[in-house]
Amino acid sequence: MPGVILVGAQWGDEGKGKATDLIGGQVDYVARFNGGNNAGHTVVVGEESYALHLLPSGIVNANVTPVIGNGVVVDPEVLLEEIEGLEARGVDCSKLVISDSAHIIAPYHRVIDKVTERYAGKRKIGTTGRGIGPAYADKINRVGIRVHDLYNPEILHDKVEASLRQKNQMLVKIYNQRAIDVEETVAFLTKMGEKIRKYVDNTGLLLNKAIDRGEVVLFEGGQATMLDVDHGTYPYVTSSNPTSGGACTGTGVGPTKIARVIGVSKAYITRVGEGPFPTELDNEDGEWLRQQGHEFGVTTGRPRRCGWFDSVVNRYATQVNGLTDIVLTKLDVLTGLKTIPICVAYDVENADGTHTRYDDMPTDQDAFARATPIYEEMPGWNEDISQVHRFEDLPETTQAYVRRLEELSGCRISAIGTGPQRDHIISVHSLLD
Ligand code: GDP
Ligand code: IMO
Ligand code: MG
């Protein structure tokens, strides 16, 4: 079992932090491969709850080496704050390793993220405002700054100057902002570089050597399948590849080293930010799910949009990621419902008034935006399931609901979350053998 990838199967916040922690005790490395501090991963250990943004969830496990791969965009100021906050709570971060090839989120990326969103008005994406999109745009545009550039004063100065020459024109002339000073930016990034220097290394080599020695690496995705820049609901997506392929490009480990791909799904679904969401409940049912599930963003505090489980999304996630297992979270949240709708397909009304049924994800985003869910209803349950540890001890209607989700998703459900704590879990199949 060399490499295991763990990804979000929906629109994020599925409980990836908890699922990572679940396996964390049995792996040697946990490597983030995409995104940045737009992520908010919660790990609950006893009375302590950790909200991790940039650091891999494995950081709370003393035996794990946490790695930030080359595919991540690193805001060094946020990273240092996060390390400081964790160390103040007794979490040792000294084993952290950051890729020298990861791209940097510079202060100007944050400014651009905010002003472009404001300027977009009703066309905004609803980003987290952390500078993620602008940093990845620079990477693709080949004007990004990488971690190792921070240690080469001439190159750093040249890159910042070139980048700001163009960006300042845009900031001043289009967005009516003040120009950003080159020297100040270079001095700031140099200072940050020194502070993170002790963590920086060639993580691709490190991870490949570890796998060759027989050690286990868990690749932890930020965001989720439907937020993937290639496979998600473009343009309402993040700017990276949170799907399983991103784990290889985002760490420099080849696909032949990967043995399992785990998708994390909620027993219902949520979304933060703008964009289409067919099963969204803009009514008291949605509010009920939000309150029961405490659905408020870990990173921005925004209320999450809530809806019923969408099996079209999950079938798509199984396909795009090549899922071998699903960790189904937050099943406990549904306790108390008389019946539970599951979306099995979409109905889309065409321009000429005819209707098309989609059993698989439409690639045309206009069709997706107009999709209305076709539901089937399953009976609910009232029993408290948070103390149940064996699948067969769940109420029969709960078992039937899980089995139906499994059937519709086209992938086995190997673990079930019944609460936020570490022991609120039902293990159905081992995730690591
Ligand atoms: P992530 O971004 O995928 O790591 O997920 P978040 O941390 O943003 O959101 C998931 C939330 O659900 C966190 O508050 C978790 O503590 C909580 N959680 C995870 N699994 C379960 C579960 O099985 N039941 C309940 N009730 N809460 C859970
Ligand atoms: P985790 O890892 C949920 C959403 C934002 C916005 C879009 C683009 O905790 O599941 P960005 O700042 O990335 O450019 O915003 O993506 N988004 C997330 N939604 N969970 C996340 O991370 C998210 N990271 C980004 O709300 O709609
Ligand atoms: Mg989250």
Side-chain angles (χ1 to χ4, degrees):
M1 177 60 63
V4 180
I5 300 174
L6 187 141
V7 295
Q10 299 163 327
W11 270 288
D13 306 323
E14 297 91 348
K16 295 178 291 293
K18 184 185 165 184
T20 298
D21 183 54
L22 179 68
I23 321 170
Q26 302 159 67
V27 306
D28 303 292
Y29 292 79
V30 176
R32 275 280 305 270
F33 59 85
N34 78 299
N37 57 308
N38 47 349
H41 295 180
T42 314
V43 180
V44 182
V45 185
E47 298 293 298
E48 298 288 320
S49 177
Y50 301 96
L52 303 162
H53 297 286
L54 190 50
L55 293 169
S57 300
I59 197 108
V60 301
N61 205 308
N63 298 321
V64 162
T65 301
V67 175
I68 293 180
N70 59 274
V72 174
V73 283
V74 178
D75 185 326
E77 200 177 8
V78 170
L79 178 77
L80 289 163
E81 267 171 33
E82 200 169 330
I83 292 173
E84 211 174 287
L86 284 173
E87 293 203 319
R89 294 174 68 185
V91 178
D92 176 21
C93 299
S94 61
K95 282 163 75 179
L96 174 70
V97 194
I98 305 169
S99 167
D100 56 359
S101 306
H103 279 252
I104 292 288
I105 300 181
Y108 49 80
H109 291 129
R110 273 181 272 172
V111 173
I112 293 168
D113 196 355
K114 292 200 175 112
V115 296
T116 48
E117 279 282 275
R118 223 178 298 144
Y119 194 76
K122 66 177 180 33
R123 291 193 185 85
K124 71 174 192 234
I125 305 294
T127 72
T128 59
R130 302 300 193 258
I132 306 294
Y136 277 116
D138 276 3
K139 170 177 171 172
I140 299 302
N141 216 8
R142 295 164 295 188
V143 292
I145 291 165
R146 304 211 280 179
V147 169
H148 60 66
D149 295 329
L150 302 179
Y151 310 112
N152 189 323
E154 262 173 47
I155 289 181
L156 180 65
H157 194 280
D158 187 56
K159 284 193 164 190
V160 171
E161 192 173 41
S163 191
L164 281 179
R165 192 182 303 146
Q166 185 259 343
K167 288 182 175 67
N168 276 337
Q169 293 283 332
M170 185 179 78
L171 283 171
V172 173
K173 292 186 181 155
I174 302 177
Y175 298 114
N176 207 18
Q177 298 289 307
R178 259 182 303 172
I180 295 170
D181 188 69
V182 173
E183 304 308 324
E184 244 174 60
T185 307
V186 172
F188 174 77
L189 290 175
T190 305
K191 188 173 85 186
M192 289 294 126
E194 283 316 314
K195 289 192 174 178
I196 64 168
R197 195 172 199 143
K198 64 179 177 191
Y199 303 112
V200 176
D201 208 340
N202 178 346
T203 51
L205 187 64
L206 178 86
L207 293 173
N208 276 289
K209 280 190 167 172
I211 289 174
D212 290 346
R213 282 195 303 271
E215 294 182 301
V216 182
V217 179
L218 175 63
F219 300 87
E220 179 190 15
Q223 294 75 51
T225 305
M226 298 304 286
L227 289 171
D228 187 287
V229 68
D230 285 281
H231 303 291
T233 47
Y234 190 89
Y236 298 100
V237 292
T238 192
S239 301
S240 69
N241 286 118
T243 48
S244 57
C248 294
T249 52
T251 58
V253 173
T256 50
K257 308 271 172 78
I258 308 298
R260 292 280 266 277
V261 184
I262 301 165
V264 187
S265 285
K266 274 182 206 177
Y268 50 100
I269 201 163
T270 63
R271 174 164 206 175
V272 205
E274 307 301 317
F277 177 5
T279 63
E280 179 170 17
L281 295 163
D282 196 10
N283 57 20
E284 67 272 20
D285 285 341
E287 190 51 37
W288 185 86
L289 282 173
R290 189 172 304 118
Q291 295 305 329
Q292 291 285 116
H294 307 290
E295 295 296 354
F296 297 89
V298 177
T299 299
T300 58
R302 289 179 289 180
R304 294 173 180 154
R305 300 157 65 192
C306 298
W308 301 125
F309 188 89
D310 184 336
S311 71
V312 184
V313 165
N314 257 64
R315 276 198 292 284
Y316 182 62
T318 300
Q319 170 200 311
V320 169
N321 296 294
L323 296 185
T324 57
D325 301 85
I326 290 175
V327 173
L328 185 73
T329 60
K330 300 193 114 170
L331 187 61
D332 53 301
V333 173
L334 300 181
T335 302
L337 290 168
K338 213 160 171 218
T339 57
I340 312 173
I342 304 173
C343 169
V344 293
Y346 301 141
D347 175 74
V348 177
E349 187 176 348
N350 304 307
D352 61 2
T354 59
H355 286 252
T356 305
R357 179 186 164 111
Y358 286 88
D359 290 291
D360 296 303
M361 184 62 68
T363 42
D364 176 350
Q365 286 303 302
D366 181 46
F368 184 68
R370 287 183 293 110
T372 56
I374 299 171
Y375 285 119
E376 102 184 5
E377 300 238 337
M378 299 285 290
W381 59 90
N382 284 314
E383 295 87 336
D384 174 10
I385 59 167
S386 62
Q387 299 311 318
V388 175
H389 291 289
R390 292 188 325 165
F391 184 75
E392 51 276 24
D393 294 339
L394 285 170
E396 267 178 29
T397 48
T398 320
Q399 293 188 31
Y401 179 71
V402 174
R403 287 280 176 244
R404 187 67 184 133
L405 299 193
E406 182 169 67
E407 195 173 75
L408 290 165
S409 302
C411 176
R412 69 181 187 175
I413 291 174
S414 297
I416 300 165
T418 55
Q421 295 284 343
R422 265 183 174 169
D423 63 344
H424 284 147
I425 199 82
I426 297 172
S427 176
V428 187
H429 304 285
S430 162
L431 291 166
L432 285 178
D433 54 24

